[in-house]
Amino acid sequence: MTRKSNIETGFDRRTVLKISAGVAVAGLAGALSSSIAQAADGIVALVHTQAAGDNGPVDSMIAKLKQLASEKGLTYRAIYAQDPATYETIFRTLGEAGASVVVSTFNEVAVPIKAVAPDFPDTKWIQLFGDAFEPPMPNVVTVSYDYYLGCYLSGIYAAGVSKTGKLGFIGGISIPPINADFNAFKAGAQSVNPDITATAAFAGSFQDPAKGQEIASQMFSDGIDYIQTDAAATDAGIIAAANEMEGRMVSALDPAQFDLGPKSLIAIVGLDFGASLYNEVTKALGPDFAGGQHVSTGLGTGVIDFKLSPVFTAKGPADIIAKSDKTWPDVEKARAAILDGSLKVPFNTAL
Amino acid sequence: MHDIIIAILRSGTPLIYVTLAAVIAQRAGIWHLGLEGLMIVGACATILTIVATGSVFIALCVAIVLCVLMSILFWFVVEKLKANQIIAGLGLTGLGLGGTAFAVEAIFGTQAAVSAEFGLPRIGPMFGSYGVLSILVVLMPVCVIFMWVLLRRTRFGLRLAASGEHPFAARSVGVRTDLMRLAALMIGGVLCAIGGAELAAGSLQIFSQNMTAGRGFMAFTAAIFGAGQPIGATLAAVFFAVVGAAGIRAQLVFGDRVPHDLLLGLPYIATIFGIWLSAKLRGGTKAVTGFGELRDS
């Protein structure tokens, strides 16, 4: 029956399906490019290379981008670029669509930006969490964060509140800036007590809370009672492991995580990517844009700081709160010393 | 030691449920690369429904219904539209990963992780430190044995294997091979929903995007590693969980002396070695290939 019908029409079922699929794909591509083109005037785009939903950097950047767009009447796009092979294509598409500002994140986008930015001189490019370009490009600003300084303060604090003298650090993947965060954390702790131990482990992903929970559970069972996280969405599993027993402490990344561990999430080394994006895009949209510059953001800028959780302070165990109160002046003292330059924290990327 | 066993049971249980789904699909002659998508839908539906209704039972039902519907869609595309299984499976995975992200944003207006106030019931303090495990961990061995009986000791199982390996022969004795594959995929959908529910609500009580992190593909590999047999594939999944836990232990013990990247790669090296060893021990006996003679209509 099918064969007879094929002879009559000249098309078999597979051909019809292939044509339908082709038409659908072409239609989708057309709709997307049309959508970007319609919004080209003043479009501000964020190309994020980690998935949203991390209760951390990506979510805060998207939230601030929405806020900025609402305040200034801009059209914005938040695009998740999962595959490094697509970065350059996405940037080029945005450039061709006449985007006014394109923001992207982390070191892996440096090469694609270097390849695309010269072809679109009217588009301003901002790379958050990146190194300075050599040579500088007149329409590119790179921003780095001295997150390791916050981790150093966390180490000092951990040494004061830990009962076992065993600390842990869980990163997403082992890359130089995260290795430096661990070394600073360890150095901070050992500046208080040289006998304290700090153990690092990596989940191999920034989006695997189940793996984070596995690693944290093993660390806690080894007697570690304070873990500094550096793993984005993986953090949720680390906090879940800490929630299973009182006395386990975690320092994470973002204020949005406070409620995930009312009795375990004691502090954060806050890196407010959203505030940083807001500041840099605001500059790029105004007359203050200084292309070709590298901006280094550290303590005292409002973007990075070590902060206690108000939720834990209200609900945490009394003995830990007492230790925390006793330790906090040491943290304040170290922060002041870093800011006035009398304390230099080494940026050591070797593990 | 108990902590290690608990860690293996926690990480292994979701994998085992999804591995059983891969096994039954493979025996029906389908290379099921949509497991990752079904698993994440199960995880997402469970947490979102717990948040919305406060009922774990309803959450499990919703997750199962959604995964079964997606499995029927997969069957329709593969069986009736004659689409390539690999491409359709990857499409199903893409649909699951993208669809869950879209659902979270559409419902909550944000792509942030969603956490539920409670998860699946735990087996309780009477089991000591094992009390933190969920009831689905306890049900897992029962499910494995049930699947073994179903696939190896029932008429349905024999017909299913025939539908996968020798569809001509199966049809010649009156077996509706298309319906056998539908049944296999629907059972697989239920198992993926349970696996996803255990992953998200067993101990975490959180859903975040892409949280399956390749576990669906690991389950697919475990089914091949286990030669398409329920017990063998379960042992393969347990092996993956053990080497995963051993990889973490190696980082904690040797992390200051050996590069972390190498230690992170150990489970994968062990997996390749294990698959090679398993093939050697089988003495060249062919696993269920699942290719059969599908395109014979």
Side-chain angles (χ1 to χ4, degrees):
Chain A
M1 186 68 182
T2 305
R3 185 165 294 173
K4 190 175 180 183
S5 146
N6 292 344
I7 292 166
E8 285 168 358
T9 61
F11 292 104
D12 62 13
R13 187 163 44 179
R14 287 188 190 186
T15 307
V16 171
L17 281 169
K18 282 176 188 169
I19 292 169
S20 306
V23 169
V25 169
L28 181 64
L32 280 175
S33 59
S34 152
S35 158
I36 290 176
Q38 280 172 8
D41 187 21
I43 187 175
V44 177
L46 166 67
V47 181
H48 52 98
T49 54
Q50 289 177 11
D54 57 358
N55 277 322
V58 179
D59 290 347
S60 85
M61 282 190 291
I62 293 172
K64 282 290 183 182
L65 184 63
K66 283 181 183 174
Q67 181 191 330
L68 190 68
S70 163
E71 287 172 6
K72 297 191 181 293
L74 300 167
T75 303
Y76 78 91
R77 293 283 184 273
I79 300 160
Y80 176 32
Q82 193 170 11
D83 179 3
T86 64
Y87 295 167
E88 187 171 332
T89 308
I90 291 171
F91 292 147
R92 199 166 287 285
T93 305
L94 288 165
E96 284 168 356
S100 56
V101 182
V102 177
V103 187
S104 194
T105 51
F106 305 120
N107 273 318
E108 61 263 32
V109 299
V111 172
I113 288 179
K114 283 176 186 171
V116 173
D119 297 338
F120 301 98
D122 295 333
T123 299
K124 292 161 183 166
W125 304 82
I126 299 168
Q127 185 198 2
L128 301 180
F129 214 116
D131 297 324
F133 279 16
E134 286 297 337
M137 291 182 173
N139 58 336
V140 179
V141 165
T142 52
V143 184
S144 64
Y145 304 98
D146 295 335
Y147 190 75
Y148 70 106
L149 297 176
C151 290
Y152 183 85
L153 298 181
S154 175
I156 292 174
Y157 181 74
V161 297
S162 170
K163 292 176 183 171
T164 63
K166 293 180 177 177
L167 312 180
F169 177 96
I170 301 177
I173 53 175
S174 175
I175 53 176
I178 292 184
N179 296 348
D181 294 342
F182 167 65
N183 287 324
F185 174 69
K186 188 176 177 181
Q190 292 184 338
S191 72
V192 176
N193 175 5
D195 295 331
I196 214 154
T197 62
T199 306
F202 298 88
S205 166
F206 288 98
Q207 296 169 31
D208 193 347
K211 191 70 174 283
Q213 187 185 31
E214 279 182 61
I215 297 173
S217 295
Q218 289 205 32
M219 280 186 167
F220 286 130
S221 68
D222 285 352
I224 285 169
D225 63 353
Y226 183 107
I227 294 176
Q228 174 62 50
T229 74
D230 205 345
T234 300
D235 286 2
I238 301 165
I239 298 166
N243 287 342
E244 288 180 349
M245 195 178 287
E246 198 163 278
R248 294 174 170 181
M249 294 170 276
V250 174
S251 168
L253 176 70
D254 195 276
Q257 295 169 312
F258 286 151
D259 289 330
L260 295 179
K263 293 184 178 179
S264 62
L265 203 156
I266 191 165
I268 56 165
V269 179
L271 198 175
D272 195 340
F273 274 89
S276 180
L277 177 142
Y278 188 95
N279 295 342
E280 298 306 325
V281 173
T282 303
K283 279 192 259 178
L285 292 170
D288 297 335
F289 180 74
Q293 279 199 344
H294 177 74
V295 180
S296 184
T297 309
L299 293 173
T301 60
V303 174
I304 293 173
D305 206 355
F306 180 67
K307 299 173 186 171
L308 295 180
S309 162
V311 181
F312 185 91
T313 305
K315 297 180 179 175
D319 57 333
I320 295 178
I321 303 284
K323 280 188 153 200
S324 170
D325 292 342
K326 195 177 164 193
T327 305
W328 191 248
D330 295 337
V331 175
E332 296 275 23
K333 198 172 149 190
R335 182 193 283 114
I338 291 170
L339 287 172
D340 69 22
S342 60
L343 174 61
K344 299 286 183 197
V345 179
F347 184 78
N348 176 9
T349 61
L351 279 183
Chain B
M1 187 61 187
H2 293 303
D3 293 319
I4 299 286
I5 296 171
I6 289 168
I8 290 167
L9 286 171
R10 268 182 173 167
S11 60
T13 299
L15 196 58
I16 289 169
Y17 279 116
V18 183
T19 297
L20 293 174
V23 167
I24 194 168
Q26 200 180 89
R27 292 187 80 85
I30 292 173
W31 290 96
H32 199 337
L33 284 173
L35 299 166
E36 179 88 356
L38 293 177
M39 192 181 189
I40 194 125
V41 167
C44 181
T46 303
I47 293 296
L48 296 195
T49 311
I50 290 175
V51 170
T53 66
S55 165
V56 171
F57 177 73
I58 296 174
L60 278 175
C61 291
V62 170
I64 287 170
V65 168
L66 282 175
C67 287
V68 168
L69 286 175
M70 286 181 70
S71 298
I72 293 171
L73 174 70
F74 180 56
W75 171 81
F76 181 76
V77 170
V78 168
E79 192 66 36
K80 295 300 175 189
L81 301 183
K82 307 293 182 195
N84 180 288
Q85 291 179 11
I86 306 295
I87 304 297
L90 292 173
L92 192 69
T93 289
L95 182 66
L97 294 172
T100 50
F102 176 75
V104 169
E105 177 144 22
I107 294 168
F108 295 96
T110 169
Q111 294 182 14
V114 179
S115 65
E117 285 189 16
F118 53 89
L120 298 171
R122 310 288 172 93
I123 57 176
M126 71 183 78
F127 293 93
S129 56
Y130 293 90
V132 296
L133 298 173
S134 84
I135 52 165
L136 289 181
V137 177
V138 181
L139 286 177
M140 177 265 291
V142 178
C143 192
V144 172
I145 293 166
F146 172 78
M147 285 295 289
W148 180 81
V149 172
L150 180 72
L151 295 179
R152 302 301 300 270
R153 290 288 181 272
T154 66
R155 178 175 291 192
F156 171 83
L158 287 173
R159 290 183 168 192
L160 192 70
S163 300
E165 284 296 292
H166 302 290
F168 282 132
R171 263 195 294 275
S172 69
V173 293
V175 176
R176 287 283 304 273
T177 56
D178 55 343
L179 294 184
M180 294 305 290
R181 289 186 195 118
L182 175 62
L185 289 175
M186 288 174 69
I187 294 169
V190 173
L191 291 165
C192 287
I194 294 172
E198 168 60 21
L199 180 73
S203 56
L204 281 174
Q205 298 162 214
I206 285 169
F207 173 77
S208 68
Q209 288 184 46
N210 300 333
M211 72 178 294
T212 43
R215 287 176 177 81
F217 295 110
M218 284 177 70
F220 179 78
T221 311
I224 296 171
F225 191 171
Q229 309 296 334
I231 305 291
T234 299
L235 291 176
V238 171
F239 174 75
F240 286 165
V242 169
V243 293
I248 293 170
R249 176 57 41 196
Q251 280 199 73
L252 300 182
V253 176
F254 306 113
D256 54 345
R257 281 157 279 167
V258 182
H260 282 270
D261 290 333
L262 178 63
L263 295 172
L264 276 171
L266 278 181
Y268 304 102
I269 296 168
T271 301
I272 293 167
F273 178 74
I275 289 174
W276 171 79
L277 189 65
S278 146
K280 277 279 182 198
L281 291 176
R282 283 203 300 271
T285 305
K286 287 180 86 175
V288 177
T289 64
F291 277 124
E293 301 145 282
L294 290 177
R295 303 281 77 89
D296 58 348
S297 50

